[in-house]
Amino acid sequence: MKYLILTNHSYMLWQFRRELIAKLKEMGEVVLSMPFVGHEDDFQKEYKCIDTKVDRRGINPITDYQLYSFYKKLIKDEKPDIVITYSIKANVYGGYASRKLKVPYCVNVQGLGTAFEKKMLAPLVTKMYKASVKRAKTVFFENEFNAQEFIRRGITTREQVTVLNGAGINLDYYKLSKYPSEENGITFLYLGRIMKEKGIDEFLYSVKNLKNKYKEKIHFDMVGFFEDEYKQTIEDLSKQGYIAFHGFQTDPIPFYQRAHCVVLPSYHEGMSNVLLEAAATGRAIITTDIPGCREAVDDGVSGYLCKKMDADSLLDAMERFISLSMESRVAMGQHGREKIEMSFDKLDVVEKTIKAINK
């Protein structure tokens, strides 16, 4: 078998899919088409890698058509037995190219994103997805809500759908870590892209309120890229001592280990890897009650759920965590680890994925 994988980010592919790709390699040849933005050197040791230009956020019809043409030529040249796509542009243009060339293909929908929330854009994205996944062997989703949304919109059939528990977590890599000392206070961690859709406005609202109230009894670490619109805000809050901003980090584990609680008030997710990693490390999590986040936490047991786009609801959840005894905070993290072991083991997710691809 020859597998061709199309995606929009080499770093993300390495972070979350390398175990799956290694398993596919045991069954044949694997070719990767992706923008080289990190870990391409690691991939190139084992696989043929093709640097691919993908405008991740733009909707320029000229560049999008160029991407479709590139995928069509690539499939003709590589002659794969099956194409596997990740991310919306690879799904739409790679999926449609595979369909037109009558090559079997599988599509991974890792979240609905903002496109389905915008009234002007949603009908167009729906139409494009309908055309691209019509002949897909299977369409993977990371939560049941997203799968039902595609079925409701008539984009895919129930028979095509395979729901996975996200990308899964490598339990040997993300180990249960000793709970950190509280001698210097409680540390909350935000790890992810610093953008509006991740709930950053609600998080910073809580940061200011809690820091003003508890002073040096609590601390806030922030790790990740920030959108330009937040650059000045983050720099100012860092200078004022509200947050410790660490920028993008290739290894998140040390930050999970030093945190007492991980916070992600996102507006939409496929399945949040940050929450799964944090829980696997043994940290309580606070997140929004939405598909792709709620699955990672048992409310009141391994963390807390708050309302989407509700700053006061998030603030209340963080206050509740602060009010717990240290023993209760430790227990929350341990319950989180148990939940990940039971439902999100990477080995189980990879096995289910392989079965669906090769059925």
Side-chain angles (χ1 to χ4, degrees):
M1 291 287 288
K2 184 175 183 178
Y3 303 93
L4 173 61
I5 296 178
L6 313 178
T7 188
N8 70 350
H9 208 289
S10 59
Y11 175 81
M12 294 301 181
L13 193 68
W14 174 265
Q15 285 292 95
F16 305 122
R17 309 292 173 179
R18 64 181 183 271
E19 294 90 350
L20 171 64
I21 294 168
K23 194 69 176 179
L24 291 173
K25 187 173 182 288
E26 293 178 9
M27 297 179 287
E29 181 183 357
V30 180
V31 178
L32 308 177
S33 167
M34 58 199 177
F36 287 2
V37 290
H39 285 295
E40 59 272 6
D41 292 342
D42 294 305
F43 275 131
Q44 286 172 330
K45 295 172 184 176
E46 300 285 338
Y47 313 98
K48 179 178 180 180
C49 298
I50 300 165
D51 192 5
T52 306
K53 184 178 180 180
V54 179
D55 183 0
R56 296 174 61 208
R57 295 189 178 277
I59 51 174
N60 186 316
I62 296 174
T63 57
D64 283 2
Y65 183 77
Q66 289 172 343
L67 180 62
Y68 166 71
S69 300
F70 175 86
Y71 283 148
K72 195 171 181 181
K73 183 178 186 302
L74 178 63
I75 294 168
K76 286 180 179 179
D77 291 345
E78 292 295 330
K79 298 179 175 59
D81 294 293
I82 189 162
V83 176
I84 304 167
T85 67
Y86 293 92
S87 76
I88 184 168
K89 292 207 173 181
N91 290 346
V92 168
Y93 301 118
Y96 191 66
S98 301
R99 175 189 165 189
K100 296 297 286 185
L101 295 171
K102 299 182 179 179
V103 175
Y105 63 106
C106 300
V107 172
N108 287 266
V109 179
Q110 297 162 277
L112 300 185
T114 57
F116 282 95
E117 294 181 352
K118 296 180 179 179
K119 291 183 179 180
M120 298 295 291
L121 195 55
L124 175 62
V125 175
T126 297
K127 186 175 182 179
M128 293 172 73
Y129 252 126
K130 277 184 180 180
S132 63
V133 307
K134 187 174 183 179
R135 301 296 180 193
K137 284 185 65 176
T138 192
V139 182
F140 292 105
F141 294 89
E142 297 192 344
N143 65 69
E144 184 63 37
F145 178 89
N146 287 359
Q148 290 299 328
E149 183 67 12
F150 264 54
I151 294 169
R152 184 185 70 80
R153 289 174 179 267
I155 298 173
T156 188
T157 65
R158 178 75 249 186
E159 292 70 30
Q160 286 178 295
V161 165
T162 301
V163 179
L164 304 170
N165 283 341
I169 290 294
N170 185 326
L171 297 174
D172 293 328
Y173 186 74
Y174 291 96
K175 298 180 183 295
L176 178 64
S177 297
K178 182 181 178 181
Y179 189 77
S181 168
E182 294 185 350
E183 183 178 352
N184 295 319
I186 296 171
T187 297
F188 290 96
L189 169 66
Y190 174 92
L191 193 152
R193 284 177 293 170
I194 298 171
M195 58 190 297
K196 185 176 181 64
E197 289 81 3
K198 293 292 184 181
I200 200 66
D201 292 334
E202 292 78 8
F203 178 72
L204 295 180
Y205 170 87
S206 297
V207 166
K208 293 174 185 176
N209 278 274
L210 293 172
K211 193 67 174 176
N212 288 335
K213 179 178 180 179
Y214 293 101
K215 309 299 182 185
E216 293 307 308
K217 292 182 180 179
I218 61 168
H219 309 280
F220 298 94
D221 280 341
M222 295 187 70
V223 175
F225 297 107
F226 54 64
E227 303 274 322
D228 287 342
E229 65 179 297
Y230 288 102
K231 185 176 186 295
Q232 191 63 53
T233 300
I234 297 301
E235 289 177 352
D236 290 345
L237 290 175
S238 183
K239 289 176 182 176
Q240 294 163 12
Y242 283 99
I243 62 171
F245 179 61
H246 304 278
F248 172 73
Q249 299 288 325
T250 56
D251 183 7
I253 291 178
F255 295 92
Y256 292 136
Q257 290 175 333
R258 64 188 265 176
H260 300 94
C261 180
V262 176
V263 182
L264 181 69
S266 185
Y267 296 176
H268 48 76
E269 295 285 337
M271 182 67 70
S272 170
N273 290 294
V274 167
L275 295 178
L276 300 184
E277 292 168 1
T281 310
R283 300 299 177 259
I285 54 180
I286 294 175
T287 190
T288 34
D289 188 8
I290 61 167
C293 287
R294 66 168 71 106
E295 292 86 351
V297 59
D298 292 326
D299 191 23
V301 178
S302 63
Y304 293 116
L305 292 170
C306 64
K307 296 177 183 177
K308 173 182 172 181
M309 302 176 72
D310 189 327
D312 287 319
S313 179
L314 174 62
L315 178 61
D316 178 66
M318 294 172 76
E319 286 268 26
R320 289 166 68 191
F321 181 79
I322 293 169
S323 70
L324 295 173
S325 66
M326 187 185 78
E327 291 75 18
S328 295
R329 289 192 282 264
V330 173
M332 271 194 163
Q334 292 173 337
H335 285 305
R337 172 70 186 195
E338 292 167 4
K339 182 177 182 66
I340 299 302
E341 289 178 349
M342 184 176 299
S343 302
F344 295 94
D345 189 331
K346 175 79 74 174
L347 295 176
D348 295 336
V349 173
V350 167
E351 182 180 357
K352 186 174 182 180
T353 306
I354 294 291
K355 284 183 180 178
I357 289 172
N358 292 328
K359 68 181 178 182

